[in-house]
Amino acid sequence: MQKGLIVAVREVIPEAYHRMCARHIYAAWSKRFRGDERKVAFWAVSKSTYMNQLTENTKQLKLLGDGIFEAVAEYPLHTWCNAFFSKDAKCDLVDNNMCETFNGWILDARTKPIISMVDEIRQQIMKRNVSKRKSVDSWKGNISPKAMEKVGKNELQSHDWIIDWNGEEAYEVTLIFNFAKRHTVDLSKRECSCRE
Protein backbone atom coordinates (compact mmCIF):
# COMPACT_ATOMS: atom_id res chain seq x y z
CA MET A 1 0.00 0.00 0.00
CA GLN A 2 3.04 2.28 -0.47
CA LYS A 3 1.49 4.88 -2.77
CA GLY A 4 4.82 6.59 -3.56
CA LEU A 5 6.42 3.26 -4.43
CA ILE A 6 3.66 2.47 -6.93
CA VAL A 7 4.27 5.76 -8.76
CA ALA A 8 8.05 5.27 -8.72
CA VAL A 9 7.87 1.72 -10.10
CA ARG A 10 5.53 2.84 -12.89
CA GLU A 11 7.98 5.59 -13.85
CA VAL A 12 11.13 3.45 -13.68
CA ILE A 13 9.72 0.25 -15.24
CA PRO A 14 6.48 1.24 -16.99
CA GLU A 15 6.15 -2.08 -18.87
CA ALA A 16 6.17 -4.11 -15.63
CA TYR A 17 3.02 -5.96 -14.70
CA HIS A 18 1.43 -4.54 -11.52
CA ARG A 19 -0.90 -6.17 -8.99
CA MET A 20 -2.16 -5.05 -5.61
CA CYS A 21 -2.70 -7.29 -2.59
CA ALA A 22 -6.42 -8.01 -2.16
CA ARG A 23 -5.82 -8.87 1.50
CA HIS A 24 -4.50 -5.34 2.15
CA ILE A 25 -7.38 -3.81 0.21
CA TYR A 26 -9.83 -5.93 2.21
CA ALA A 27 -8.16 -4.88 5.48
CA ALA A 28 -8.50 -1.19 4.59
CA TRP A 29 -12.06 -1.67 3.31
CA SER A 30 -13.31 -3.93 6.11
CA LYS A 31 -12.69 -1.27 8.75
CA ARG A 32 -15.66 0.59 7.29
CA PHE A 33 -17.85 -2.42 6.45
CA ARG A 34 -18.08 -5.45 8.72
CA GLY A 35 -19.90 -8.76 8.34
CA ASP A 36 -19.34 -12.27 7.01
CA GLU A 37 -21.53 -11.81 3.93
CA ARG A 38 -19.50 -8.74 2.97
CA LYS A 39 -16.26 -10.68 3.41
CA VAL A 40 -17.54 -13.54 1.24
CA ALA A 41 -18.76 -11.10 -1.44
CA PHE A 42 -15.44 -9.22 -1.48
CA TRP A 43 -13.37 -12.38 -1.93
CA ALA A 44 -15.77 -13.66 -4.60
CA VAL A 45 -15.16 -10.46 -6.59
CA SER A 46 -11.41 -10.69 -6.05
CA LYS A 47 -11.19 -14.34 -7.11
CA SER A 48 -13.49 -14.04 -10.13
CA THR A 49 -11.65 -15.45 -13.13
CA TYR A 50 -13.80 -14.32 -16.07
CA MET A 51 -15.99 -11.30 -16.81
CA ASN A 52 -19.46 -12.87 -16.46
CA GLN A 53 -18.48 -14.30 -13.09
CA LEU A 54 -17.08 -10.90 -12.06
CA THR A 55 -20.32 -9.19 -13.13
CA GLU A 56 -22.41 -11.63 -11.07
CA ASN A 57 -20.17 -11.29 -8.01
CA THR A 58 -20.10 -7.50 -8.34
CA LYS A 59 -23.92 -7.46 -8.38
CA GLN A 60 -23.94 -9.46 -5.14
CA LEU A 61 -21.52 -6.99 -3.54
CA LYS A 62 -23.62 -4.02 -4.69
CA LEU A 63 -26.78 -5.62 -3.23
CA LEU A 64 -25.21 -5.31 0.22
CA GLY A 65 -25.65 -1.53 -0.11
CA ASP A 66 -23.99 1.16 2.02
CA GLY A 67 -21.69 2.21 -0.83
CA ILE A 68 -19.67 -0.97 -0.37
CA PHE A 69 -18.85 -1.50 -4.03
CA GLU A 70 -17.89 2.14 -4.48
CA ALA A 71 -15.51 1.87 -1.51
CA VAL A 72 -13.87 -1.25 -2.97
CA ALA A 73 -13.71 0.33 -6.43
CA GLU A 74 -11.47 3.09 -5.04
CA TYR A 75 -8.75 0.57 -5.87
CA PRO A 76 -8.63 -0.20 -9.61
CA LEU A 77 -10.21 -3.63 -10.14
CA HIS A 78 -7.62 -4.61 -12.75
CA THR A 79 -4.92 -4.55 -10.04
CA TRP A 80 -6.55 -6.94 -7.56
CA CYS A 81 -9.19 -8.99 -9.40
CA ASN A 82 -8.14 -12.28 -11.00
CA ALA A 83 -10.36 -11.71 -14.08
CA PHE A 84 -7.93 -9.01 -15.24
CA PHE A 85 -4.66 -10.80 -14.45
CA SER A 86 -2.43 -12.02 -17.23
CA LYS A 87 -2.46 -15.81 -17.43
CA ASP A 88 1.17 -15.81 -18.60
CA ALA A 89 2.32 -15.83 -14.97
CA LYS A 90 0.26 -18.97 -14.14
CA CYS A 91 -0.39 -17.63 -10.66
CA ASP A 92 -3.92 -17.29 -9.33
CA LEU A 93 -3.01 -15.61 -6.03
CA VAL A 94 -4.76 -12.32 -5.30
CA ASP A 95 -2.70 -11.49 -2.22
CA ASN A 96 0.98 -11.19 -1.41
CA ASN A 97 1.16 -13.70 1.41
CA MET A 98 4.36 -15.12 -0.07
CA CYS A 99 6.09 -11.74 0.35
CA GLU A 100 4.66 -11.30 3.84
CA THR A 101 5.79 -14.79 4.82
CA PHE A 102 9.28 -14.21 3.43
CA ASN A 103 9.58 -10.87 5.24
CA GLY A 104 8.55 -12.52 8.50
CA TRP A 105 10.95 -15.39 7.85
CA ILE A 106 13.96 -13.04 7.47
CA LEU A 107 12.98 -10.74 10.35
CA ASP A 108 16.07 -11.46 12.45
CA ALA A 109 18.40 -11.09 9.47
CA ARG A 110 16.87 -7.72 8.54
CA THR A 111 18.17 -6.15 11.76
CA LYS A 112 21.82 -6.75 10.74
CA PRO A 113 24.19 -4.70 8.57
CA ILE A 114 23.67 -5.30 4.83
CA ILE A 115 26.51 -7.80 4.23
CA SER A 116 25.62 -9.86 7.30
CA MET A 117 21.91 -9.65 6.40
CA VAL A 118 22.43 -10.91 2.85
CA ASP A 119 24.74 -13.70 4.05
CA GLU A 120 22.23 -14.86 6.69
CA ILE A 121 19.39 -14.82 4.15
CA ARG A 122 21.58 -16.85 1.77
CA GLN A 123 22.21 -19.42 4.51
CA GLN A 124 18.50 -19.61 5.41
CA ILE A 125 17.56 -20.17 1.77
CA MET A 126 20.26 -22.82 1.38
CA LYS A 127 18.97 -24.71 4.44
CA ARG A 128 15.39 -24.39 3.23
CA ASN A 129 16.34 -25.76 -0.21
CA VAL A 130 17.91 -28.83 1.45
CA SER A 131 14.81 -29.32 3.61
CA LYS A 132 12.48 -29.03 0.59
CA ARG A 133 14.66 -31.41 -1.45
CA LYS A 134 14.35 -34.03 1.33
CA SER A 135 10.59 -33.47 1.36
CA VAL A 136 10.39 -33.99 -2.42
CA ASP A 137 12.29 -37.28 -2.08
CA SER A 138 9.42 -38.57 0.10
CA TRP A 139 6.80 -38.02 -2.63
CA LYS A 140 5.20 -41.10 -4.16
CA GLY A 141 5.52 -39.72 -7.71
CA ASN A 142 6.62 -36.66 -9.68
CA ILE A 143 3.74 -34.48 -8.52
CA SER A 144 3.52 -32.81 -5.10
CA PRO A 145 0.90 -34.09 -2.64
CA LYS A 146 -0.78 -30.64 -2.58
CA ALA A 147 -1.04 -30.61 -6.39
CA MET A 148 -2.45 -34.15 -6.33
CA GLU A 149 -5.00 -33.07 -3.73
CA LYS A 150 -6.11 -30.25 -6.04
CA VAL A 151 -6.31 -32.66 -8.99
CA GLY A 152 -8.47 -34.96 -6.84
CA LYS A 153 -10.87 -32.14 -5.95
CA ASN A 154 -11.08 -31.09 -9.61
CA GLU A 155 -11.73 -34.70 -10.60
CA LEU A 156 -14.69 -34.87 -8.20
CA GLN A 157 -16.07 -31.58 -9.55
CA SER A 158 -15.68 -32.81 -13.14
CA HIS A 159 -18.66 -35.13 -12.63
CA ASP A 160 -20.88 -32.02 -12.57
CA TRP A 161 -20.02 -31.08 -16.17
CA ILE A 162 -21.21 -32.29 -19.58
CA ILE A 163 -18.38 -32.47 -22.12
CA ASP A 164 -18.95 -31.95 -25.88
CA TRP A 165 -16.01 -32.52 -28.24
CA ASN A 166 -15.61 -30.33 -31.33
CA GLY A 167 -13.83 -33.12 -33.28
CA GLU A 168 -10.37 -31.63 -32.92
CA GLU A 169 -8.66 -30.35 -29.78
CA ALA A 170 -11.38 -28.26 -28.19
CA TYR A 171 -14.35 -29.01 -25.98
CA GLU A 172 -17.36 -27.20 -24.64
CA VAL A 173 -18.11 -27.98 -21.01
CA THR A 174 -21.50 -27.20 -19.48
CA LEU A 175 -22.47 -27.30 -15.83
CA ILE A 176 -25.22 -29.90 -15.31
CA PHE A 177 -27.10 -27.74 -12.79
CA ASN A 178 -26.87 -24.49 -14.79
CA PHE A 179 -26.81 -24.74 -18.59
CA ALA A 180 -26.02 -21.02 -18.81
CA LYS A 181 -22.63 -21.76 -17.27
CA ARG A 182 -20.45 -23.14 -20.03
CA HIS A 183 -16.85 -22.80 -21.09
CA THR A 184 -14.61 -23.63 -24.02
CA VAL A 185 -11.51 -25.72 -23.40
CA ASP A 186 -8.78 -25.70 -26.07
CA LEU A 187 -6.17 -28.38 -25.34
CA SER A 188 -3.81 -27.25 -28.13
CA LYS A 189 -3.57 -23.76 -26.56
CA ARG A 190 -3.88 -25.12 -22.99
CA GLU A 191 -6.66 -22.58 -22.34
CA CYS A 192 -10.15 -22.54 -20.90
CA SER A 193 -12.56 -19.62 -21.07
CA CYS A 194 -12.98 -19.90 -17.26
CA ARG A 195 -9.30 -18.77 -17.01
CA GLU A 196 -8.64 -21.05 -14.02
Side-chain angles (χ1 to χ4, degrees), residues 75-151:
Y75 303 94
L77 267 175
H78 70 274
T79 63
W80 60 273
C81 177
N82 206 341
F84 295 99
F85 293 170
S86 163
K87 286 300 166 187
D88 294 336
K90 304 295 183 222
C91 177
D92 62 354
L93 295 178
V94 292
D95 58 26
N96 68 352
N97 277 353
M98 289 186 291
C99 295
E100 300 285 348
T101 302
F102 182 75
N103 281 335
W105 188 61
I106 64 167
L107 205 55
D108 291 338
R110 288 174 35 193
T111 63
K112 298 181 177 175
I114 188 77
I115 302 290
S116 301
M117 177 188 75
V118 171
D119 191 51
E120 188 167 323
I121 292 170
R122 179 191 61 78
Q123 288 176 11
Q124 279 183 255
I125 290 171
M126 186 173 63
K127 288 174 186 171
R128 187 174 194 285
N129 285 345
V130 169
S131 168
K132 291 297 178 185
R133 192 169 289 133
K134 286 179 182 176
S135 172
V136 167
D137 288 341
S138 73
W139 294 357
K140 300 216 184 316
N142 292 332
I143 301 173
S144 78
K146 283 205 184 259
M148 286 305 296
E149 186 180 317
K150 190 170 186 178
V151 167

Side-chain angles (χ1 to χ4, degrees), residues 3-93:
K3 309 285 190 291
L5 184 59
I6 293 170
V7 173
V9 169
R10 282 195 186 123
E11 285 180 16
V12 175
I13 44 176
E15 299 300 316
Y17 184 65
H18 302 278
R19 289 186 184 181
M20 294 181 80
C21 175
R23 187 171 306 279
H24 285 91
I25 292 170
Y26 177 76
W29 172 77
S30 67
K31 290 173 187 169
R32 297 186 339 208
F33 306 100
R34 300 228 185 264
D36 285 343
E37 61 186 10
R38 291 180 169 116
K39 180 179 183 178
V40 169
F42 171 83
W43 286 108
V45 168
S46 178
K47 293 180 179 186
S48 299
T49 58
Y50 56 97
M51 288 304 162
N52 286 349
Q53 184 183 43
L54 175 63
T55 301
E56 273 307 305
N57 289 332
T58 301
K59 281 181 195 173
Q60 295 302 314
L61 191 62
K62 287 178 180 178
L63 286 174
L64 297 174
D66 298 330
I68 291 172
F69 179 75
E70 292 73 17
V72 169
E74 290 173 11
Y75 303 94
L77 267 175
H78 70 274
T79 63
W80 60 273
C81 177
N82 206 341
F84 295 99
F85 293 170
S86 163
K87 286 300 166 187
D88 294 336
K90 304 295 183 222
C91 177
D92 62 354
L93 295 178

